[in-house]
Every structure is written in C-alpha cells, then in structure tokens.
Amino acid sequence: MGETIHRVNGYDQNAYTYYPVIIVGAGASGIAMACQLKEQLGFDQFRIFERQAGIGGTWWINRYPGVACDVPAVFYSFSFAQNPNWTSFHPPGREIVQYYHEVCQKYQITDKFELNTDVEQSRWLEDEKLWEVTLRRMSAGMGDLSYKDRAKIVEEKGEFAVYSGTEIVRTKVLISCVGGLVEPKGWPTDIPGIDGFKGPVFHSARWDQSVDFTDKNVVVVGTGCSSAQLVPRLPNAPYNAKSVTQLMRSPPWVAPAIDAPGGDEWWEKNGPKIMRNVPGLRQLLRFNLFFFTELTFFKIFPDTKKAEKYRKIYESDLLSRVKRIVPEKYHEILTPNYGVGCKRRIFDKRWLQSLRDAKIELTAQPLTRVTEDSVVLGPGVTYPPNAKGDHPERTVPADVIVLANGFDTSKWLHPLRVTGQGDKDLVQTMDDRGGPQAYQGTAMDGFPNFFMIFGPNTATGHTSVVLASENMVMYSLKFIKLLLHGEASVIDVKHEAEVAYTDDLQKSLKKTVWGNGGCTSWYVNDGWNSTVYPYSQVDFWRRCRFPRWQDWNITYTKKGLARKRNGRVARIFALAFTIIGAYRLYQHGVTVADGKVLAKSMLLEVVRRLQQASVLLKNQLSI
C-alpha cells in the first residue's frame, strides 16, 4: 500500500504533515479501529489523537469510587481480543483500562497515540480532496478537564495556561471515535448560591482524588448508573463519610446485575483459571450473553401488545425486589411511573442494599439553593408528581457536593467542529434536518471520507456498546479500504439515502418504549431521539456486514475501475460456466470420475478466459 505518513512542502511556510488516516479519540472505538486497520488491511500509517492524558476514553477519565462495568466483561471486551484473565465478572474501571493497554501492546499500536492533543476542527479541502485538521497541544493534565473548565482557565489566565501550541495537518480519511458521554453537565443554572459554597464541588466523571471525605457530609446530585456505584462506597472505608444525601428527581428502574456463574465469590476464585483452560468456554459464554440480551430486546423494547404484557410482568418482579430490599419509606419514591426500558436501567449490586444504611438518605425533595456549608431542599417533592403529605423546606449540612447528573448529550462530537463541502458545519447540518443523525450512525452526505464510530442512533440499551462499535468499524473499513488501496478518491453517502435512513429510524423509534414509554431521558432532546437504534443488534450486524452500495457516491480511480470491471467479468464468467456445466451434465449424464475430469477442465478454461479478459481490460484502460 503506497499511503505513508510524510512531510509536505519541506522548508516552506505552508509545510504540513500528511497522515493517510487520522482517528479522533482513544476509547474503545478508537482502539478497535486502529487494531482492525492493522488486522484487516495490514495498514499502520495512522495516528490516534486524544485530548485526555491516557488511553481508555470514558474508562480513563471516570475514577469515582466503585466505578465498574455493569455489563459482563466477557461480553464487553473485543471479539478479536478476548481476555481470559478478568478478576471478576464485572471488573473495575482500572482493570478495563489495563485490558485496553494490553490490547494496544498486542497489536503494536501504542506508539500511534498522541495524547494531550485536542482536535479542534476539521475542514474539507475540495480541490485537494483532503481534510485539513487543526491540532491543539495541551499542557499536562489540561486534557482531563472538561471543555467548560478549560474555557474558564483560558478566560482567567489566558490560552497559554491550557494550550502549548497549534499544528495544522492533513489527512485522506478522518474517523471520529468521539464518545457520546464526553462533556459532564455543569452546575444547574437555576440553583443559586453555589459560588458561596466553601467546600469542593466536582462531577463524578472528574473525581477529585485529593478530597478527604472522613467525617464529611456529602451531597450527591443524581440517581443514574454512576451514582448507584459510588454512593454505597462513601460511608465505608477508605472514605468514611459522616453522611450521604442523594438527591433524586425521578426513580430509575433497578434490575439485578447479571450473576456470575457460581456466584461472584466462586467466579472470582475459579473463573480466570477455567476461562484460560477450557477451550471454547469464552466464546460459548459470550454467545449465550448475546443471545440472552437479544431476546431481552424483543421482550422489552417494542411497543407491541406482547412486549407490553411482558414489561408488566418484568416491572412487577423488579418492584417486588425493590420492596424486599429497601426500607418502606422509599417504596413510593422508588416506584417509576413510566415503562421499563424507556430510560437506561441500573444494573445493581449494592445501591438498593446501601439504602438500609443509616448514613445514607435518598430524597426526592428538590434542591432550591446552596449556602456556605449546606444545601436547602424543598418545599415539596419532585416525585411522585401528586405526592401526599407535607414536605416543608429543610436545610441539609454539606461539606462536599458531587454532581452525578449526567452529560451534555444534545450536541454530538462537541466540542470538535467538522466543516464539509460548501463550508457546511456537521452539527448545524444535523440540526437543520431535525437533530443529530447519520446514515448507519456512520456517515453524512456532504462530508466525504469521514466516518463516525458510535455515532447517532447506534446504542440499543440492551447489549454491549463494544459490540456495536465493532460492527461500525467493520462497516467503515469496507469503504476505507478502497481509499487506502487507491481504488477510490472520494466516498460519501447519498443525500436521499441519509434522509430516508433517518426518517425510517425516527418513525420506528416512535413504535418502541423509547417513543411511548412516558419518560424523560437523555436519549431524547426536544422530541428527537439521537441515541437509540430501534432494532436488534442482529439487524445492525446485518446492515454492517452487507452494505447497500447503491446508497453511496464512490469516485473510483483508474485502478478502482479496472478492479471493479475485472470483478464483474469474473462473476459473469463464473455464472456462465456454472450454467453451461450444469446443462452438459443434465444433457449427457456422466460418472463421478467423468464429472471430476469435466470440472477440472472447466476450471482451467475459466482461469484461461479470466486471464484473457484481464489482459484485454488493461489494454483498453491504457489507450
């Protein structure tokens, strides 16, 4: 393959580095893409730019107490690099990051990462048929801050407090592996008093390791997946908080985490040894989990009578479990008034049990203001909507406030700016068409040679996101291969195909629990669901494995046209000789031995004819 990283224009002022492929983001999707570029295409002339200080994406940056995978690790890991050494069925974040490093080492791509580097913007150059990419190198540690925090430092201290330099590079293929859960939500703007609060305030996704929680009163804002993992840890060693007050707007559906075979204790003791020494066990367990989750999709998520009936049974089981575990005072506020699956479920190991702890209080009273050393709650409650009884305003002491209130999910790729043909901004183009969208979650018309891994509408809410990312990687490689092999110069999806695909998805989403579940979730913004895929992962796999080539604009090179014509000729000859051979066998009848001789002679004839056709085509193309 002739594409290489090289310097263009030498001493000139407009000199730049050319990278055949640039990958933005060093999380699971970026790692998977890098590994498969080497594995499938034998190609290593690429770079992965990551603004954070380490490899691992969300698992690098999330370091809150109890952070762990709530999907069984055997199903969350890469299919091409399965790990037999997980220490538990649901391993902690540190172990997942270590796994990613081992995968990078195995595929020899560790040297391809450039960390502390923010890809600020990318602009399509129509004449050159390349992407011009602006890189901003950051001072150590700055990339681990949120966009808002970096902007604040720039405002207060100037750009050089954050950025050490800017570089302009170019690339043929630009691949965004920017995750959806990137930018933490900030402090709620309608809650006054936070500027006067004397204690530390930080988001769970930017955990402050320097904070001492010993004998401190902690307020946790939110009841999502992260808070369900961290809240049970805070009253216990090594944190030893005096009290934890958890603020909830509406209750999540809480399901038990998938049990490890033999139980957690048995699995932690025996699982790694069994997984290493029993051939095929990892694959079997992975397939069983896949089958189970796919079955769950059809039972829970469609808006059908059959699924509705099952949801009612499932909801009853989940509520019975809640009432068995938590104190009676929480029964009402932990009974959701929307369908299960409408929001992401919490797969719980410790949270419900922790609500028995006298040091932990769960409340649905709204946060109304903050003082120097407390938060003021109420009057009233946010849930249930028609709550009975008196809920007067009260003051809760607070030494530390932890935000576990989610992420900004309304702007995809933010803060990366992508400008395509006609100087159109990608996010603005999406918004003009109704909301975040992409064909197959991967491409937008007018943005050539640009691919998104885990773009809009690719999460399914029931299975492993790593599986979905792998599907998109394999899908994108079918087109990237043409560009890197010099068979195509420009590839983008057709406008009508992208619009039709998005229209189908949005209509289909209205026929699922996400469209009619009666909840407000981060999946949906202003009525537009930009997150969820309305069909099964099997369906997504099928679409990724068998592209609709007619939906794409592909500008073939001379080499690509020759290969395409050769392939067409080969298929025609193969079909013709198959038909002729079958007809001869039918007409004359032959013995098995005769059939073998005939088949061999026909194969030699096919090869001879293909060689003739190939020479003929090359002669025509050289004229």
Side-chain angles (χ1 to χ4, degrees):
M1 202 176 292
E3 292 282 352
T4 61
I5 298 172
H6 60 275
R7 191 72 177 163
V8 178
N9 293 336
Y11 286 118
D12 295 353
Q13 190 174 2
N14 63 346
Y16 64 88
T17 301
Y18 169 77
Y19 299 96
V21 178
I22 284 179
I23 300 170
V24 185
S29 296
I31 294 169
M33 174 57 76
C35 290
Q36 292 307 307
L37 277 169
K38 291 196 72 174
E39 179 87 355
Q40 302 297 324
L41 305 186
F43 188 77
D44 69 352
Q45 297 295 291
F46 57 84
R47 283 292 182 273
I48 308 160
F49 294 107
E50 168 61 58
R51 74 178 186 186
Q52 294 177 174
I55 297 168
T58 189
W59 294 105
W60 165 264
I61 201 64
N62 279 275
R63 303 183 182 196
Y64 57 80
V67 59
C69 186
D70 61 6
V71 175
V74 70
F75 192 32
Y76 195 81
S77 49
F78 298 124
S79 64
F80 56 84
Q82 294 185 44
N83 180 19
N85 300 312
W86 296 114
T87 59
S88 65
F89 207 56
H90 299 89
R94 176 184 291 273
E95 192 171 341
I96 295 173
V97 170
Q98 180 60 35
Y99 163 71
Y100 286 152
H101 278 266
E102 290 169 358
V103 171
C104 293
Q105 184 177 353
K106 175 184 176 182
Y107 282 83
Q108 298 182 350
I109 60 170
T110 304
D111 62 323
K112 306 301 180 186
F113 294 90
E114 294 195 21
L115 307 175
N116 294 305
T117 303
D118 189 24
V119 181
E120 184 179 61
Q121 66 179 10
S122 305
R123 185 169 61 94
W124 176 251
L125 304 177
E126 186 63 42
D127 293 340
E128 291 89 344
K129 302 294 185 283
L130 298 173
W131 284 97
E132 184 178 77
V133 179
T134 302
L135 307 175
R136 303 205 73 185
R137 312 291 183 177
M138 288 185 282
S139 303
M142 289 294 111
D144 285 349
L145 300 178
S146 69
Y147 176 78
K148 301 181 193 69
D149 289 340
R150 290 201 305 275
K152 186 176 180 180
I153 293 174
V154 168
E155 183 180 349
E156 293 174 353
K157 300 180 180 180
E159 290 217 346
F160 288 107
V162 175
Y163 301 102
S164 59
T166 300
E167 181 182 0
I168 306 296
V169 300
R170 292 184 182 181
T171 184
K172 176 177 282 189
V173 180
L174 180 62
I175 305 170
S176 169
C177 294
V178 176
L181 304 181
V182 176
E183 284 298 313
K185 282 186 178 179
W187 180 259
T189 55
D190 58 338
I191 308 299
I194 192 62
D195 291 336
F197 183 68
K198 290 186 175 180
V201 181
F202 52 88
H203 197 279
S204 61
R206 299 295 186 275
W207 194 263
D208 190 341
Q209 303 287 348
S210 67
V211 173
D212 181 8
F213 287 87
T214 304
D215 291 328
K216 300 291 177 61
N217 296 301
V218 184
V219 173
V220 177
V221 181
T223 50
C225 298
S226 298
S227 64
Q229 291 183 336
L230 71 90
V231 163
R233 309 280 181 162
L234 294 180
N236 304 303
Y239 303 99
N240 301 312
K242 180 179 181 180
S243 72
V244 179
T245 304
Q246 187 176 15
L247 310 184
M248 178 182 76
R249 286 189 303 177
S250 64
W253 281 103
V254 184
I258 298 176
D259 290 329
D264 286 343
E265 186 176 341
W266 184 90
W267 185 261
E268 288 172 16
K269 182 179 179 181
N270 300 288
K273 185 188 300 182
I274 294 173
M275 295 289 274
R276 284 194 299 267
N277 294 294
V278 179
L281 181 60
R282 273 173 285 161
Q283 291 79 2
L284 178 62
L285 183 55
R286 185 182 176 93
F287 177 79
N288 284 342
L289 288 166
F290 171 75
F291 181 80
F292 172 75
T293 57
E294 287 298 280
L295 190 63
T296 301
F297 174 86
F298 292 106
K299 284 183 174 181
I300 293 179
F301 297 105
D303 186 23
T304 62
K305 293 292 183 183
K306 187 175 181 179
E308 183 181 3
K309 183 178 178 180
Y310 178 82
R311 280 198 299 272
K312 294 299 181 185
I313 297 171
Y314 184 43
E315 289 168 5
S316 178
D317 291 343
L318 295 183
L319 290 177
S320 295
R321 177 176 178 268
V322 168
K323 291 176 180 178
R324 284 196 309 270
I325 297 174
V326 305
E328 187 176 353
K329 64 180 178 178
Y330 293 133
H331 288 184
E332 185 178 32
I333 65 172
L334 283 176
T335 301
N337 60 354
Y338 59 88
V340 64
C342 184
K343 294 182 182 180
R344 192 181 192 278
R345 291 163 289 167
I346 289 177
F347 295 98
D348 176 50
K349 279 184 175 290
R350 295 180 177 85
W351 183 51
L352 292 183
Q353 290 282 354
S354 75
L355 295 179
R356 293 178 176 180
D357 190 332
K359 292 183 178 181
I360 296 177
E361 179 194 2
L362 176 67
T363 178
Q365 284 196 276
L367 175 62
T368 51
R369 66 182 184 277
V370 180
T371 70
E372 289 185 354
D373 56 4
S374 67
V375 296
V376 179
L377 307 179
V381 293
T382 60
Y383 192 89
N386 300 313
K388 298 178 182 179
D390 190 22
H391 302 276
E393 179 180 283
R394 64 189 177 108
T395 299
V396 176
D399 301 303
V400 181
I401 298 177
V402 177
L403 295 175
N405 57 343
F407 299 82
D408 292 333
T409 58
S410 59
K411 295 290 186 182
W412 282 81
L413 305 180
H414 183 75
L416 170 64
R417 298 195 303 275
V418 181
T419 305
Q421 292 174 332
D423 289 330
K424 290 185 177 180
D425 177 78
L426 178 60
V427 173
Q428 187 59 53
T429 299
M430 291 178 174
D431 288 345
D432 290 344
R433 295 185 190 178
Q437 59 190 274
Y439 179 88
Q440 195 70 12
T442 304
M444 278 288 287
D445 57 283
F447 296 83
N449 302 0
F450 174 72
F451 302 90
M452 289 176 278
I453 308 300
F454 215 70
N457 296 107
T458 50
T460 52
H462 74 286
T463 192
S464 169
V465 296
V466 174
L467 181 64
S469 286
E470 279 195 58
N471 281 329
M472 278 172 275
V473 166
M474 301 309 292
Y475 181 72
S476 300
L477 285 176
K478 296 179 188 298
F479 304 98
I480 294 170
K481 179 181 179 180
L482 298 177
L483 294 166
L484 297 182
H485 279 223
E487 296 175 30
S489 58
V490 177
I491 297 177
D492 77 329
V493 69
K494 294 178 180 177
H495 171 76
E496 57 271 21
E498 195 285 321
V499 171
Y501 179 88
T502 298
D503 184 58
D504 172 73
L505 253 59
Q506 293 300 319
K507 287 180 179 178
S508 296
L509 281 165
K510 297 184 186 304
K511 301 175 185 177
T512 66
V513 69
W514 300 300
N516 294 302
C519 73
T520 300
S521 78
W522 58 267
Y523 293 161
V524 181
N525 185 53
D526 292 332
W528 185 273
N529 190 325
S530 63
T531 306
V532 185
Y533 184 70
Y535 309 116
S536 71
Q537 189 61 208
V538 169
D539 180 80
F540 193 70
W541 172 88
R542 174 188 62 83
R543 294 187 189 220
C544 288
R545 285 301 186 272
F546 305 102
R548 289 172 53 89
W549 292 97
Q550 65 269 31
D551 287 350
W552 291 79
N553 295 311
I554 302 177
T555 304
Y556 286 98
T557 62
K558 190 176 181 180
K559 177 181 177 181
L561 287 172
R563 185 179 290 272
K564 187 178 179 183
R565 288 167 182 166
N566 284 346
R568 187 177 299 162
V569 169
R571 289 192 295 272
I572 292 172
F573 271 107
L575 178 62
F577 278 101
T578 299
I579 294 172
I580 292 169
Y583 178 74
R584 287 178 180 174
L585 289 171
Y586 171 77
Q587 188 176 41
H588 301 291
V590 294
T591 65
V592 173
D594 291 337
K596 289 181 178 179
V597 172
L598 178 60
K600 184 176 181 180
S601 65
M602 288 178 61
L603 180 60
L604 292 172
E605 179 66 12
V606 168
V607 171
R608 188 178 67 81
R609 293 291 181 90
L610 288 176
Q611 288 174 339
Q612 291 177 346
S614 178
V615 171
L616 179 62
L617 284 172
K618 287 180 180 178
N619 290 337
Q620 289 177 342
L621 290 171
S622 64
I623 296 175

